[in-house]
Amino acid sequence: MTLTGAEVAQHNSKDSCWVIVHGKAYDVTEFLPEHPGGQKIILKYAGKDATEEFEPIHPPDTLDKYLDPSKHLGPVNMATVAIEEKVETAEDIEKREAVALRPALAEMYNLLDFEAVAKRVMKRTAWAYYSSAADDEITMRENHAAFQRIWFRPKILVDVEKVDFSTTMLGTKVSMPFYVTATALGKLGHPEGEVLLTRASRKHDVIQMIPTLASCSFDEIMDAAEGDQVQWLQLYVNKDRDITRKIVEHAERRGCKGLFITVDAPQLGRREKDMRTKFTDDGADVQSGSTTDNSQGAARAISSFIDPALSWADIPWFQSITKMPILLKGVQRVEDVIKAVEAGVQGVVLSNHGGRQLEFARSAIEVLAETMPVLREMGLEDKIEIYVDGGVRRATDILKALCLGAKGVGIGRPFLYAMSAYGFEGVDRAMALLRDELEMNMRLIGCTSVEELNPSLLDVRSLGAHGNGVPKDVLSAAVYDQLRNPPQRSKL
Ligand SMILES: Cc1cc2nc3c(=O)[nH]c(=O)nc-3n(C[C@H](O)[C@H](O)[C@H](O)COP(=O)(O)O)c2cc1C
């Protein structure tokens, strides 16, 4: 039986709450208290079509997975659903104009250029989610700044006519030594979401790490891959290990080639920019002073299932349920790298989650510089693959990481910004820019292959100096979005 818009509209309250998503009605009355994003946002759409709000945050299979079939009420005749007149807000107008004024893609010369455009064209809430980091965002800035405290000691008079920067990651041959790291909620930036990154990764022959919290479903992202394209899975471990087991087994069956367990997020960091936009969007009742508590931002809302009890003791269980190589994503000290070797995992990602978790976590590149000499001393450097991510914006950053001993680097926000600003072509251009930069810089440091990259090509003496004598990071400072002070409320 097909429902009419009028029938659905009757169920517009907490006591009986129906919503329409993609042309079908759902009874979410009992689900309201369980919704990780809070009740308020659902109630805003009670009796109405919630598709537009639902889409970027939830993979399309969410309702099938989490809402009892008895609550699936069937198709709605969408012609009978009252279309709400969309009033263009001041923000809509500003963004529309910013899109029209975008520079030509050919005018994008580096990855930070995309960030500047994305900041202008993205919806405020989406920008806040992507660009935010923990607390005062010091670790996020340090991630980028740390690379700028490493200088080169290039070789000269080497025949560099042909340079080859292809390498292997977990046995997969890749054309460039970076991968697209896992970042949640791709559809906040672009309606196509993560599958767009899949296509760009394919074109440039690099690996994509699929996030647990993607906007597209896992299967959609796997289906978007072509031929022998390789993808990895980033895993947030659910308190319910049965769910985790199913995710892992399914990923392995579908051909994922690496399992990256995120270990730096037992609780999500405070990303105040994200929290603040959510707060103002929800329009807390200032007059009565009764502010709501769903001001947690997109990040916290979607991550309440993550198990804070995850520990080293769980690693053998993961090894028992999968043959995929297992890597720990978010390792931040050499002692834990050694433990990871002892635990028999295949690799680690030195990472602080793009500065979104522990504020004053050190940069991955600094942790790498601390780690490799110890591993070499212990004869462990070949027992494990070491990746780094955070703040990589230039090919020189990538080369520095490789010189220090990383197998490859992950890049997060730059591809999100390129995607949000220019879609597929943007990511394509961003990757092409990195390719050009890699080629030139390999030549300029006098190396023809990644095997030749080694610590003697670097001067890392000032890497450990946090703060003093650091050149001002002008480019990134120009686009860095300052944390706003709390909004001034008019006295009533
Ligand atoms: C918007 C956004 C979402 C992210 N989502 C996840 C996630 O779901 N799981 C995860 O392990 N890491 C996540 N990360 C962290 C990235 O995998 C990576 O560690 C970080 O982005 C690297 O820093 P960069 O953005 O400076 O390149 C996210 C990062 C960003 C910016």
Side-chain angles (χ1 to χ4, degrees), residues 109-115 130-131 139-141 143-145 147-148 181 354-355 389-399 409-417 430 433-434 437 473 475-476 479:
Y109 288 116
N110 62 57
L111 266 48
L112 278 160
D113 284 346
F114 290 103
E115 182 163 349
Y130 283 1
S131 68
T139 284
M140 180 178 74
R141 278 173 284 159
N143 282 347
H144 182 52
F147 283 106
Q148 299 173 336
T181 188
D389 77 26
V392 175
R393 301 293 179 266
R394 293 278 187 186
T396 49
D397 301 340
I398 302 174
L399 294 175
V409 307
I411 299 182
R413 290 186 187 84
F415 296 140
L416 289 179
Y417 294 142
L433 285 169
L434 283 174
E437 286 189 18
D473 185 0
L475 252 192
S476 112
V479 294

mmCIF file of all heavy atoms in Angstrom, residues 109-115 130-131 139-141 143-145 147-148 181 354-355 389-399 409-417 430 433-434 437 473 475-476 479:
data_model
loop_
_atom_site.group_PDB
_atom_site.id
_atom_site.type_symbol
_atom_site.label_atom_id
_atom_site.label_comp_id
_atom_site.label_asym_id
_atom_site.label_seq_id
_atom_site.Cartn_x
_atom_site.Cartn_y
_atom_site.Cartn_z
ATOM 1 N N TYR A 109 47.356 25.705 -7.544
ATOM 2 C CA TYR A 109 48.761 25.327 -7.700
ATOM 3 C C TYR A 109 49.281 24.439 -6.585
ATOM 4 O O TYR A 109 50.380 23.901 -6.672
ATOM 5 C CB TYR A 109 49.630 26.580 -7.788
ATOM 6 C CG TYR A 109 49.463 27.285 -9.099
ATOM 7 C CD1 TYR A 109 48.941 28.555 -9.174
ATOM 8 C CD2 TYR A 109 49.799 26.633 -10.293
ATOM 9 C CE1 TYR A 109 48.772 29.189 -10.391
ATOM 10 C CE2 TYR A 109 49.626 27.255 -11.506
ATOM 11 C CZ TYR A 109 49.110 28.533 -11.555
ATOM 12 O OH TYR A 109 48.935 29.140 -12.760
ATOM 13 N N ASN A 110 48.535 24.345 -5.510
ATOM 14 C CA ASN A 110 48.996 23.465 -4.430
ATOM 15 C C ASN A 110 47.789 23.044 -3.603
ATOM 16 O O ASN A 110 46.674 23.546 -3.802
ATOM 17 C CB ASN A 110 50.049 24.182 -3.567
ATOM 18 C CG ASN A 110 49.473 25.417 -2.908
ATOM 19 O OD1 ASN A 110 48.490 25.337 -2.182
ATOM 20 N ND2 ASN A 110 50.065 26.576 -3.190
ATOM 21 N N LEU A 111 48.004 22.145 -2.681
ATOM 22 C CA LEU A 111 46.881 21.589 -1.939
ATOM 23 C C LEU A 111 46.201 22.614 -1.033
ATOM 24 O O LEU A 111 45.001 22.538 -0.791
ATOM 25 C CB LEU A 111 47.351 20.367 -1.124
ATOM 26 C CG LEU A 111 47.153 19.015 -1.827
ATOM 27 C CD1 LEU A 111 47.652 19.029 -3.256
ATOM 28 C CD2 LEU A 111 47.780 17.880 -1.059
ATOM 29 N N LEU A 112 46.972 23.571 -0.544
ATOM 30 C CA LEU A 112 46.350 24.583 0.325
ATOM 31 C C LEU A 112 45.395 25.491 -0.446
ATOM 32 O O LEU A 112 44.461 26.045 0.122
ATOM 33 C CB LEU A 112 47.438 25.407 1.023
ATOM 34 C CG LEU A 112 48.008 24.707 2.260
ATOM 35 C CD1 LEU A 112 49.370 25.276 2.617
ATOM 36 C CD2 LEU A 112 47.074 24.797 3.445
ATOM 37 N N ASP A 113 45.619 25.641 -1.761
ATOM 38 C CA ASP A 113 44.686 26.428 -2.563
ATOM 39 C C ASP A 113 43.269 25.852 -2.469
ATOM 40 O O ASP A 113 42.287 26.587 -2.407
ATOM 41 C CB ASP A 113 45.119 26.437 -4.040
ATOM 42 C CG ASP A 113 46.300 27.371 -4.291
ATOM 43 O OD1 ASP A 113 46.605 28.187 -3.404
ATOM 44 O OD2 ASP A 113 46.900 27.277 -5.376
ATOM 45 N N PHE A 114 43.183 24.526 -2.455
ATOM 46 C CA PHE A 114 41.857 23.906 -2.378
ATOM 47 C C PHE A 114 41.186 24.204 -1.041
ATOM 48 O O PHE A 114 39.972 24.376 -0.951
ATOM 49 C CB PHE A 114 41.969 22.390 -2.560
ATOM 50 C CG PHE A 114 42.342 21.993 -3.951
ATOM 51 C CD1 PHE A 114 43.630 21.600 -4.262
ATOM 52 C CD2 PHE A 114 41.390 22.003 -4.955
ATOM 53 C CE1 PHE A 114 43.974 21.240 -5.549
ATOM 54 C CE2 PHE A 114 41.721 21.638 -6.253
ATOM 55 C CZ PHE A 114 43.025 21.259 -6.554
ATOM 56 N N GLU A 115 42.012 24.266 -0.013
ATOM 57 C CA GLU A 115 41.468 24.543 1.320
ATOM 58 C C GLU A 115 40.839 25.935 1.340
ATOM 59 O O GLU A 115 39.752 26.135 1.887
ATOM 60 C CB GLU A 115 42.594 24.430 2.361
ATOM 61 C CG GLU A 115 42.115 24.643 3.772
ATOM 62 C CD GLU A 115 43.100 24.149 4.816
ATOM 63 O OE1 GLU A 115 44.062 23.447 4.451
ATOM 64 O OE2 GLU A 115 42.898 24.454 5.995
ATOM 65 N N TYR A 130 34.808 19.171 8.735
ATOM 66 C CA TYR A 130 36.059 18.763 8.085
ATOM 67 C C TYR A 130 37.273 19.483 8.695
ATOM 68 O O TYR A 130 38.323 18.893 8.902
ATOM 69 C CB TYR A 130 36.031 19.088 6.582
ATOM 70 C CG TYR A 130 35.218 18.127 5.734
ATOM 71 C CD1 TYR A 130 34.540 17.045 6.293
ATOM 72 C CD2 TYR A 130 35.131 18.304 4.349
ATOM 73 C CE1 TYR A 130 33.794 16.183 5.505
ATOM 74 C CE2 TYR A 130 34.388 17.439 3.550
ATOM 75 C CZ TYR A 130 33.719 16.390 4.136
ATOM 76 O OH TYR A 130 32.992 15.542 3.347
ATOM 77 N N SER A 131 37.122 20.774 8.937
ATOM 78 C CA SER A 131 38.310 21.557 9.289
ATOM 79 C C SER A 131 38.602 21.545 10.785
ATOM 80 O O SER A 131 39.698 21.910 11.201
ATOM 81 C CB SER A 131 38.143 23.003 8.824
ATOM 82 O OG SER A 131 37.121 23.644 9.573
ATOM 83 N N THR A 139 47.637 20.946 17.892
ATOM 84 C CA THR A 139 48.229 19.752 17.287
ATOM 85 C C THR A 139 47.987 19.744 15.779
ATOM 86 O O THR A 139 48.877 19.397 15.000
ATOM 87 C CB THR A 139 47.689 18.473 17.950
ATOM 88 O OG1 THR A 139 48.329 18.326 19.219
ATOM 89 C CG2 THR A 139 47.968 17.230 17.122
ATOM 90 N N MET A 140 46.799 20.163 15.368
ATOM 91 C CA MET A 140 46.539 20.177 13.923
ATOM 92 C C MET A 140 47.546 21.077 13.207
ATOM 93 O O MET A 140 48.109 20.700 12.185
ATOM 94 C CB MET A 140 45.127 20.661 13.628
ATOM 95 C CG MET A 140 44.843 20.687 12.119
ATOM 96 S SD MET A 140 43.194 21.203 11.702
ATOM 97 C CE MET A 140 43.292 22.951 12.022
ATOM 98 N N ARG A 141 47.795 22.254 13.756
ATOM 99 C CA ARG A 141 48.746 23.158 13.089
ATOM 100 C C ARG A 141 50.172 22.641 13.199
ATOM 101 O O ARG A 141 50.969 22.751 12.283
ATOM 102 C CB ARG A 141 48.605 24.566 13.662
ATOM 103 C CG ARG A 141 47.443 25.319 13.019
ATOM 104 C CD ARG A 141 47.188 26.627 13.689
ATOM 105 N NE ARG A 141 46.511 26.402 14.964
ATOM 106 C CZ ARG A 141 46.503 27.263 15.966
ATOM 107 N NH1 ARG A 141 47.144 28.402 15.844
ATOM 108 N NH2 ARG A 141 45.852 27.006 17.071
ATOM 109 N N ASN A 143 51.046 19.579 13.159
ATOM 110 C CA ASN A 143 51.238 18.500 12.172
ATOM 111 C C ASN A 143 51.880 19.044 10.904
ATOM 112 O O ASN A 143 52.795 18.450 10.337
ATOM 113 C CB ASN A 143 49.890 17.873 11.797
ATOM 114 C CG ASN A 143 49.382 16.919 12.865
ATOM 115 O OD1 ASN A 143 50.126 16.539 13.771
ATOM 116 N ND2 ASN A 143 48.126 16.542 12.770
ATOM 117 N N HIS A 144 51.381 20.172 10.459
ATOM 118 C CA HIS A 144 51.892 20.772 9.229
ATOM 119 C C HIS A 144 53.218 21.483 9.494
ATOM 120 O O HIS A 144 54.183 21.357 8.738
ATOM 121 C CB HIS A 144 50.828 21.750 8.710
ATOM 122 C CG HIS A 144 51.162 22.414 7.427
ATOM 123 N ND1 HIS A 144 51.548 21.708 6.312
ATOM 124 C CD2 HIS A 144 51.172 23.726 7.074
ATOM 125 C CE1 HIS A 144 51.787 22.559 5.341
ATOM 126 N NE2 HIS A 144 51.574 23.780 5.776
ATOM 127 N N ALA A 145 53.258 22.205 10.618
ATOM 128 C CA ALA A 145 54.456 22.995 10.938
ATOM 129 C C ALA A 145 55.683 22.103 11.138
ATOM 130 O O ALA A 145 56.805 22.498 10.787
ATOM 131 C CB ALA A 145 54.205 23.829 12.195
ATOM 132 N N PHE A 147 56.715 19.536 9.622
ATOM 133 C CA PHE A 147 57.430 19.250 8.367
ATOM 134 C C PHE A 147 58.349 20.419 8.005
ATOM 135 O O PHE A 147 59.369 20.240 7.354
ATOM 136 C CB PHE A 147 56.440 19.015 7.217
ATOM 137 C CG PHE A 147 55.795 17.660 7.259
ATOM 138 C CD1 PHE A 147 54.480 17.503 7.650
ATOM 139 C CD2 PHE A 147 56.520 16.531 6.898
ATOM 140 C CE1 PHE A 147 53.888 16.248 7.682
ATOM 141 C CE2 PHE A 147 55.937 15.267 6.919
ATOM 142 C CZ PHE A 147 54.614 15.135 7.323
ATOM 143 N N GLN A 148 57.946 21.613 8.409
ATOM 144 C CA GLN A 148 58.722 22.794 8.044
ATOM 145 C C GLN A 148 59.939 22.997 8.939
ATOM 146 O O GLN A 148 60.675 23.954 8.777
ATOM 147 C CB GLN A 148 57.799 24.022 8.055
ATOM 148 C CG GLN A 148 56.677 23.848 7.033
ATOM 149 C CD GLN A 148 55.632 24.930 7.078
ATOM 150 O OE1 GLN A 148 55.451 25.571 8.088
ATOM 151 N NE2 GLN A 148 54.938 25.114 5.977
ATOM 152 N N THR A 181 43.548 8.672 3.055
ATOM 153 C CA THR A 181 43.210 8.089 4.350
ATOM 154 C C THR A 181 41.709 8.192 4.613
ATOM 155 O O THR A 181 40.972 8.861 3.873
ATOM 156 C CB THR A 181 44.003 8.746 5.498
ATOM 157 O OG1 THR A 181 43.766 7.998 6.704
ATOM 158 C CG2 THR A 181 43.599 10.178 5.719
ATOM 159 N N GLY A 354 44.756 13.662 12.582
ATOM 160 C CA GLY A 354 44.638 15.018 12.035
ATOM 161 C C GLY A 354 44.417 16.066 13.114
ATOM 162 O O GLY A 354 43.776 17.096 12.877
ATOM 163 N N GLY A 355 44.974 15.811 14.311
ATOM 164 C CA GLY A 355 44.833 16.783 15.403
ATOM 165 C C GLY A 355 43.440 16.839 15.991
ATOM 166 O O GLY A 355 43.101 17.785 16.697
ATOM 167 N N ASP A 389 50.443 9.903 9.001
ATOM 168 C CA ASP A 389 49.530 10.873 8.407
ATOM 169 C C ASP A 389 49.412 12.086 9.306
ATOM 170 O O ASP A 389 49.828 12.084 10.458
ATOM 171 C CB ASP A 389 48.154 10.252 8.075
ATOM 172 C CG ASP A 389 47.263 10.057 9.292
ATOM 173 O OD1 ASP A 389 47.398 10.772 10.289
ATOM 174 O OD2 ASP A 389 46.386 9.162 9.219
ATOM 175 N N GLY A 390 48.877 13.158 8.725
ATOM 176 C CA GLY A 390 48.673 14.404 9.474
ATOM 177 C C GLY A 390 49.517 15.521 8.909
ATOM 178 O O GLY A 390 50.744 15.473 8.950
ATOM 179 N N GLY A 391 48.865 16.513 8.330
ATOM 180 C CA GLY A 391 49.566 17.722 7.899
ATOM 181 C C GLY A 391 50.343 17.592 6.605
ATOM 182 O O GLY A 391 51.059 18.527 6.235
ATOM 183 N N VAL A 392 50.207 16.480 5.900
ATOM 184 C CA VAL A 392 50.949 16.322 4.641
ATOM 185 C C VAL A 392 50.269 17.172 3.570
ATOM 186 O O VAL A 392 49.111 16.946 3.231
ATOM 187 C CB VAL A 392 50.976 14.839 4.197
ATOM 188 C CG1 VAL A 392 51.651 14.704 2.835
ATOM 189 C CG2 VAL A 392 51.659 13.984 5.246
ATOM 190 N N ARG A 393 50.961 18.150 3.081
ATOM 191 C CA ARG A 393 50.370 19.066 2.103
ATOM 192 C C ARG A 393 51.243 19.238 0.865
ATOM 193 O O ARG A 393 50.819 19.838 -0.118
ATOM 194 C CB ARG A 393 50.156 20.459 2.731
ATOM 195 C CG ARG A 393 49.250 20.454 3.969
ATOM 196 C CD ARG A 393 47.816 20.080 3.618
ATOM 197 N NE ARG A 393 46.933 20.050 4.772
ATOM 198 C CZ ARG A 393 46.656 18.959 5.488
ATOM 199 N NH1 ARG A 393 47.175 17.777 5.176
ATOM 200 N NH2 ARG A 393 45.828 19.029 6.512
ATOM 201 N N ARG A 394 52.471 18.797 0.917
ATOM 202 C CA ARG A 394 53.440 18.995 -0.161
ATOM 203 C C ARG A 394 54.178 17.684 -0.411
ATOM 204 O O ARG A 394 54.361 16.872 0.497
ATOM 205 C CB ARG A 394 54.484 20.023 0.273
ATOM 206 C CG ARG A 394 53.958 21.428 0.448
ATOM 207 C CD ARG A 394 53.875 22.128 -0.889
ATOM 208 N NE ARG A 394 53.531 23.527 -0.769
ATOM 209 C CZ ARG A 394 53.289 24.301 -1.804
ATOM 210 N NH1 ARG A 394 53.375 23.825 -3.036
ATOM 211 N NH2 ARG A 394 52.972 25.555 -1.645
ATOM 212 N N ALA A 395 54.664 17.531 -1.650
ATOM 213 C CA ALA A 395 55.476 16.342 -1.937
ATOM 214 C C ALA A 395 56.726 16.324 -1.070
ATOM 215 O O ALA A 395 57.216 15.257 -0.704
ATOM 216 C CB ALA A 395 55.852 16.309 -3.411
ATOM 217 N N THR A 396 57.252 17.507 -0.733
ATOM 218 C CA THR A 396 58.437 17.497 0.136
ATOM 219 C C THR A 396 58.098 16.854 1.483
ATOM 220 O O THR A 396 58.939 16.184 2.078
ATOM 221 C CB THR A 396 58.985 18.924 0.357
ATOM 222 O OG1 THR A 396 57.912 19.783 0.721
ATOM 223 C CG2 THR A 396 59.692 19.450 -0.870
ATOM 224 N N ASP A 397 56.854 17.048 1.968
ATOM 225 C CA ASP A 397 56.446 16.397 3.218
ATOM 226 C C ASP A 397 56.513 14.875 3.054
ATOM 227 O O ASP A 397 56.994 14.152 3.931
ATOM 228 C CB ASP A 397 55.013 16.798 3.609
ATOM 229 C CG ASP A 397 54.847 18.310 3.795
ATOM 230 O OD1 ASP A 397 55.866 18.993 4.004
ATOM 231 O OD2 ASP A 397 53.699 18.778 3.738
ATOM 232 N N ILE A 398 56.000 14.420 1.907
ATOM 233 C CA ILE A 398 55.979 12.979 1.651
ATOM 234 C C ILE A 398 57.413 12.449 1.608
ATOM 235 O O ILE A 398 57.741 11.423 2.223
ATOM 236 C CB ILE A 398 55.273 12.669 0.302
ATOM 237 C CG1 ILE A 398 53.844 13.219 0.311
ATOM 238 C CG2 ILE A 398 55.288 11.179 0.014
ATOM 239 C CD1 ILE A 398 53.108 13.090 -1.008
ATOM 240 N N LEU A 399 58.267 13.170 0.890
ATOM 241 C CA LEU A 399 59.653 12.703 0.743
ATOM 242 C C LEU A 399 60.378 12.703 2.089
ATOM 243 O O LEU A 399 61.170 11.796 2.374
ATOM 244 C CB LEU A 399 60.392 13.562 -0.281
ATOM 245 C CG LEU A 399 59.843 13.425 -1.710
ATOM 246 C CD1 LEU A 399 60.548 14.406 -2.651
ATOM 247 C CD2 LEU A 399 59.986 11.992 -2.224
ATOM 248 N N VAL A 409 52.523 7.710 3.167
ATOM 249 C CA VAL A 409 51.814 8.668 4.009
ATOM 250 C C VAL A 409 50.340 8.703 3.634
ATOM 251 O O VAL A 409 49.970 8.481 2.480
ATOM 252 C CB VAL A 409 52.400 10.096 3.878
ATOM 253 C CG1 VAL A 409 53.898 10.109 4.109
ATOM 254 C CG2 VAL A 409 52.065 10.717 2.525
ATOM 255 N N GLY A 410 49.522 8.998 4.623
ATOM 256 C CA GLY A 410 48.089 9.180 4.386
ATOM 257 C C GLY A 410 47.787 10.662 4.261
ATOM 258 O O GLY A 410 48.390 11.480 4.943
ATOM 259 N N ILE A 411 46.857 10.983 3.378
ATOM 260 C CA ILE A 411 46.435 12.381 3.218
ATOM 261 C C ILE A 411 44.920 12.436 3.397
ATOM 262 O O ILE A 411 44.189 11.659 2.761
ATOM 263 C CB ILE A 411 46.855 12.929 1.837
ATOM 264 C CG1 ILE A 411 48.385 12.873 1.708
ATOM 265 C CG2 ILE A 411 46.348 14.360 1.638
ATOM 266 C CD1 ILE A 411 48.938 13.424 0.411
ATOM 267 N N GLY A 412 44.474 13.319 4.265
ATOM 268 C CA GLY A 412 43.046 13.389 4.596
ATOM 269 C C GLY A 412 42.364 14.625 4.056
ATOM 270 O O GLY A 412 41.829 14.641 2.945
ATOM 271 N N ARG A 413 42.444 15.709 4.838
ATOM 272 C CA ARG A 413 41.656 16.903 4.497
ATOM 273 C C ARG A 413 41.889 17.431 3.082
ATOM 274 O O ARG A 413 40.927 17.852 2.430
ATOM 275 C CB ARG A 413 41.943 18.021 5.495
ATOM 276 C CG ARG A 413 41.373 17.753 6.889
ATOM 277 C CD ARG A 413 41.579 18.963 7.773
ATOM 278 N NE ARG A 413 41.220 18.737 9.149
ATOM 279 C CZ ARG A 413 42.025 18.188 10.060
ATOM 280 N NH1 ARG A 413 43.230 17.797 9.727
ATOM 281 N NH2 ARG A 413 41.619 18.020 11.302
ATOM 282 N N PRO A 414 43.130 17.478 2.586
ATOM 283 C CA PRO A 414 43.300 18.094 1.254
ATOM 284 C C PRO A 414 42.397 17.481 0.181
ATOM 285 O O PRO A 414 41.844 18.215 -0.649
ATOM 286 C CB PRO A 414 44.783 17.835 0.942
ATOM 287 C CG PRO A 414 45.421 17.820 2.294
ATOM 288 C CD PRO A 414 44.419 17.136 3.186
ATOM 289 N N PHE A 415 42.204 16.170 0.216
ATOM 290 C CA PHE A 415 41.339 15.565 -0.801
ATOM 291 C C PHE A 415 39.870 15.881 -0.534
ATOM 292 O O PHE A 415 39.071 16.040 -1.461
ATOM 293 C CB PHE A 415 41.584 14.060 -0.905
ATOM 294 C CG PHE A 415 42.985 13.726 -1.370
ATOM 295 C CD1 PHE A 415 43.699 12.674 -0.810
ATOM 296 C CD2 PHE A 415 43.603 14.475 -2.364
ATOM 297 C CE1 PHE A 415 45.000 12.379 -1.232
ATOM 298 C CE2 PHE A 415 44.894 14.195 -2.789
ATOM 299 C CZ PHE A 415 45.592 13.142 -2.223
ATOM 300 N N LEU A 416 39.526 15.993 0.751
ATOM 301 C CA LEU A 416 38.138 16.389 1.066
ATOM 302 C C LEU A 416 37.863 17.797 0.552
ATOM 303 O O LEU A 416 36.804 18.085 -0.006
ATOM 304 C CB LEU A 416 37.912 16.375 2.581
ATOM 305 C CG LEU A 416 37.858 15.014 3.265
ATOM 306 C CD1 LEU A 416 37.644 15.207 4.759
ATOM 307 C CD2 LEU A 416 36.736 14.160 2.685
ATOM 308 N N TYR A 417 38.838 18.680 0.748
ATOM 309 C CA TYR A 417 38.644 20.064 0.306
ATOM 310 C C TYR A 417 38.587 20.143 -1.225
ATOM 311 O O TYR A 417 37.763 20.865 -1.795
ATOM 312 C CB TYR A 417 39.779 20.954 0.820
ATOM 313 C CG TYR A 417 39.804 21.099 2.333
ATOM 314 C CD1 TYR A 417 41.008 21.129 3.029
ATOM 315 C CD2 TYR A 417 38.622 21.207 3.056
ATOM 316 C CE1 TYR A 417 41.038 21.271 4.411
ATOM 317 C CE2 TYR A 417 38.648 21.349 4.443
ATOM 318 C CZ TYR A 417 39.854 21.390 5.110
ATOM 319 O OH TYR A 417 39.885 21.530 6.463
ATOM 320 N N ALA A 430 44.409 17.678 -7.602
ATOM 321 C CA ALA A 430 45.233 17.651 -6.385
ATOM 322 C C ALA A 430 46.271 16.524 -6.482
ATOM 323 O O ALA A 430 47.452 16.706 -6.155
ATOM 324 C CB ALA A 430 44.355 17.466 -5.153
ATOM 325 N N LEU A 433 48.912 17.411 -9.024
ATOM 326 C CA LEU A 433 49.869 18.388 -8.483
ATOM 327 C C LEU A 433 50.916 17.685 -7.625
ATOM 328 O O LEU A 433 52.109 17.991 -7.695
ATOM 329 C CB LEU A 433 49.135 19.446 -7.647
ATOM 330 C CG LEU A 433 48.336 20.501 -8.428
ATOM 331 C CD1 LEU A 433 47.454 21.315 -7.479
ATOM 332 C CD2 LEU A 433 49.273 21.429 -9.194
ATOM 333 N N LEU A 434 50.448 16.741 -6.824
ATOM 334 C CA LEU A 434 51.404 16.006 -5.978
ATOM 335 C C LEU A 434 52.388 15.217 -6.838
ATOM 336 O O LEU A 434 53.579 15.128 -6.532
ATOM 337 C CB LEU A 434 50.658 15.058 -5.019
ATOM 338 C CG LEU A 434 50.012 15.730 -3.810
ATOM 339 C CD1 LEU A 434 49.184 14.722 -3.015
ATOM 340 C CD2 LEU A 434 51.074 16.358 -2.893
ATOM 341 N N GLU A 437 54.923 17.633 -8.140
ATOM 342 C CA GLU A 437 55.833 18.039 -7.062
ATOM 343 C C GLU A 437 56.788 16.896 -6.706
ATOM 344 O O GLU A 437 57.963 17.125 -6.418
ATOM 345 C CB GLU A 437 55.033 18.422 -5.802
ATOM 346 C CG GLU A 437 54.325 19.764 -5.879
ATOM 347 C CD GLU A 437 53.742 20.179 -4.512
ATOM 348 O OE1 GLU A 437 54.151 19.627 -3.477
ATOM 349 O OE2 GLU A 437 52.870 21.051 -4.490
ATOM 350 N N ASP A 473 54.212 30.145 9.330
ATOM 351 C CA ASP A 473 53.556 29.344 8.297
ATOM 352 C C ASP A 473 52.521 30.213 7.592
ATOM 353 O O ASP A 473 51.325 30.110 7.833
ATOM 354 C CB ASP A 473 52.903 28.138 8.975
ATOM 355 C CG ASP A 473 52.307 27.196 7.976
ATOM 356 O OD1 ASP A 473 52.398 27.458 6.762
ATOM 357 O OD2 ASP A 473 51.737 26.189 8.395
ATOM 358 N N LEU A 475 51.288 30.606 4.429
ATOM 359 C CA LEU A 475 50.234 30.080 3.554
ATOM 360 C C LEU A 475 49.094 29.492 4.355
ATOM 361 O O LEU A 475 47.928 29.801 4.152
ATOM 362 C CB LEU A 475 50.812 28.989 2.654
ATOM 363 C CG LEU A 475 50.994 29.319 1.188
ATOM 364 C CD1 LEU A 475 51.290 28.048 0.416
ATOM 365 C CD2 LEU A 475 49.757 29.984 0.609
ATOM 366 N N SER A 476 49.454 28.635 5.294
ATOM 367 C CA SER A 476 48.382 27.983 6.028
ATOM 368 C C SER A 476 47.716 28.961 6.986
ATOM 369 O O SER A 476 46.512 28.880 7.230
ATOM 370 C CB SER A 476 48.891 26.721 6.716
ATOM 371 O OG SER A 476 48.903 26.859 8.082
ATOM 372 N N VAL A 479 44.676 30.689 5.484
ATOM 373 C CA VAL A 479 43.402 29.990 5.331
ATOM 374 C C VAL A 479 42.933 29.369 6.633
ATOM 375 O O VAL A 479 41.826 28.876 6.736
ATOM 376 C CB VAL A 479 43.478 28.877 4.260
ATOM 377 C CG1 VAL A 479 43.692 29.474 2.908
ATOM 378 C CG2 VAL A 479 44.522 27.842 4.586
#
